[in-house]
């Protein structure tokens, strides 16, 4: 949704630039929870780029669930260095 500001901590996240590789061991993954404006629906996801993923959700790119239920408000997130930890936490 245009006009919805991202939290400062999300905006300060570094977005990887295409063609540049990260040093080994510096991977970051996020488990996040989105809600709709009335806080009646929750959506949980995992990503390695929270700012990009929120942008996609707010533009309704990708998953049909977020389009149908308008889940674009970030209500919670956690950061992980291991993808399996993030996936297990999401479950």
């Amino acid at each position: 949704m245009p006009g919805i500001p991202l939290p400062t901590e999300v905006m300060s996240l570094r977005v990887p630039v295409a063609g540049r590789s990260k040093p080994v061991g510096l991977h970051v993954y996020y488990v996040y929870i989105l809600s709709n404006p009335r806080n009646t629906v929750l959506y949980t996801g995992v990503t390695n780029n929270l700012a990009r993923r929120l942008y996609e959700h707010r533009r309704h790119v990708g998953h049909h669930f977020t389009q149908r239920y308008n889940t674009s408000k970030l209500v919670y997130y956690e950061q992980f260095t291991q993808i399996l930890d993030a996936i297990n936490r999401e479950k």
Side-chain angles (χ1 to χ4, degrees):
M1 292 172 63
I4 298 175
L6 296 175
T8 304
E9 61 273 8
V10 173
M11 290 303 295
S12 65
L13 298 173
R14 294 177 56 193
V15 178
V17 177
R20 294 187 188 173
S21 61
K22 290 182 179 180
V24 175
L26 294 181
H27 298 282
V28 179
Y29 305 95
Y30 301 90
V31 173
Y32 61 96
I33 300 175
L34 302 178
S35 186
N36 63 339
R38 300 183 83 188
N39 294 324
T40 56
V41 178
L42 295 176
Y43 174 88
T44 305
V46 174
T47 186
N48 64 348
N49 187 326
L50 188 56
R52 183 203 73 231
R53 193 65 184 116
L54 290 174
Y55 176 86
E56 292 170 350
H57 279 294
R58 291 175 179 169
R59 304 291 177 292
H60 301 295
V61 175
H63 206 278
H64 296 289
F65 182 90
T66 58
Q67 291 176 352
R68 181 174 181 176
Y69 295 101
N70 194 26
T71 54
S72 59
K73 181 171 64 171
L74 181 66
V75 294
Y76 182 80
Y77 73 94
E78 289 180 15
Q79 184 175 324
F80 297 86
T81 57
Q82 301 294 320
I83 186 63
L84 291 179
D85 292 340
I87 291 169
N88 287 331
R89 178 65 170 152
E90 180 194 25
K91 292 178 182 182

